[in-house]
Amino acid sequence: MEVGGDASRRHHVRFWPTPSGWVLPGDHRVDWLAAGTFDRAVGLSLFTLQVTHKIDADIDVERDHVVSTVEHGVSQARTDVLPHFVAAFHSRNGGGDVVRTDGSLVVVDLTGIPVGQVDEQVDRQVDGQDDDGDRRLVDRRTPPVELVIAGAVSVLKAVVAASVAAPLVLPAVLAAALWVVVLARQAWARVLLMSVCTGEAALLIHRASQFHGGHGSLTSLLHAGASVVVLVTVSSDGARRWVAPRAARQGR
């Protein structure tokens, strides 16, 4: 299922039929196994160097999206969750993309529902949810506006520092690099970025007070103000929820 008419971004589900008499651990019997991923872009595999789709790391979000699509489209569908079916892990797939999961397995039971009825209801659901589905995807996968502002200011700071204030280049580049890690939903990077911005702003304000006016004072104050902007945006609720563990994001 394409998102926004762009084939590089799509919901992707793979299915494998299970052999007769085959059971999952715990004596759970299913007819099919499925794996859902959100293809966020086209790129090169880190392991094979082949052109392939790059997947979103939070694969549980796509699992829940696929299941909710079926549940909303087929009211008779029954679902059961096998919590911690495998240990939660943070690793890489065969293409080199980072993946995270809570290890839970969802079983969707469509037993007794005529195939034609399922097809018709799911098609109707998919057709009717394009806008809402894209909106949900944006809500859960698109960084909050606060982080976007923080990134723009961080990059601008680094560019300006490189051209007019060489001593400020290192902290500016460090802040920009930490912002990239925050964008990858690493909570520790957000805390460190706030600490860096706080320290930088305090030092620059102190430095400005030593100049008693002039170009040096103005430059220091402008960079201090930019650091404060990054600090405020990164410390916002939106940024905090962005890096929060998945369970905490869902709970809100």
Side-chain angles (χ1 to χ4, degrees):
M1 183 195 301
E2 294 180 1
V3 174
D6 182 1
S8 67
R9 302 176 65 243
R10 62 182 185 177
H11 302 281
H12 191 183
V13 189
R14 298 172 175 87
F15 292 91
W16 297 271
T18 60
S20 176
W22 187 85
V23 295
L24 288 166
D27 200 32
H28 301 287
R29 297 178 181 272
V30 295
D31 296 315
W32 296 82
L33 294 176
T37 58
F38 178 71
D39 297 334
R40 57 181 174 81
V42 174
L44 290 178
S45 166
L46 295 179
F47 294 165
T48 66
L49 299 182
Q50 294 177 319
V51 177
T52 183
H53 275 94
K54 311 294 288 182
I55 71 168
D56 187 87
D58 199 346
I59 57 177
D60 294 341
V61 170
E62 190 64 15
R63 174 198 64 197
D64 298 343
H65 174 78
V66 172
V67 172
S68 65
T69 298
V70 177
E71 287 179 325
H72 284 87
V74 185
S75 58
Q76 304 95 319
R78 299 178 299 277
T79 59
D80 186 24
V81 179
L82 307 179
H84 308 300
F85 183 77
V86 297
F89 64 87
H90 180 287
S91 185
R92 291 183 182 272
N93 67 358
D97 296 325
V98 173
V99 293
R100 296 186 295 267
T101 178
D102 60 13
S104 297
L105 187 69
V106 180
V107 179
V108 180
D109 187 355
L110 301 175
T111 304
I113 305 175
V115 174
Q117 182 179 353
V118 172
D119 291 342
E120 179 182 351
Q121 289 179 320
V122 171
D123 287 344
R124 185 165 59 249
Q125 169 66 15
V126 170
D127 290 341
Q129 78 161 8
D130 285 346
D131 293 338
D132 291 338
D134 287 358
R135 194 174 300 116
R136 286 197 302 271
L137 189 65
V138 168
D139 290 342
R140 304 183 73 174
R141 298 184 189 275
T142 302
V145 64
E146 298 94 335
L147 272 186
V148 176
I149 293 173
V153 174
S154 296
V155 172
L156 181 61
K157 272 182 56 184
V159 171
V160 173
S163 59
V164 300
L168 301 178
V169 171
L170 182 59
V173 171
L174 175 60
L178 286 172
W179 174 82
V180 173
V181 183
V182 173
L183 205 61
R185 287 181 164 163
Q186 298 299 315
W188 63 266
R190 173 176 170 269
V191 174
L192 185 56
L193 177 55
M194 289 190 294
S195 301
V196 169
C197 289
T198 301
E200 184 183 22
L203 288 174
L204 287 173
I205 291 174
H206 174 72
R207 181 185 178 189
S209 66
Q210 306 302 310
F211 283 104
H212 304 293
H215 177 73
S217 176
L218 179 61
T219 300
S220 296
L221 287 176
L222 288 176
H223 277 268
S227 296
V228 171
V229 170
V230 175
L231 174 62
V232 171
T233 52
V234 173
S235 62
S236 65
D237 285 342
R240 178 177 56 80
R241 286 194 296 267
W242 176 256
V243 301
R246 177 177 173 274
R249 294 199 302 271
Q250 286 187 328
R252 294 178 182 275

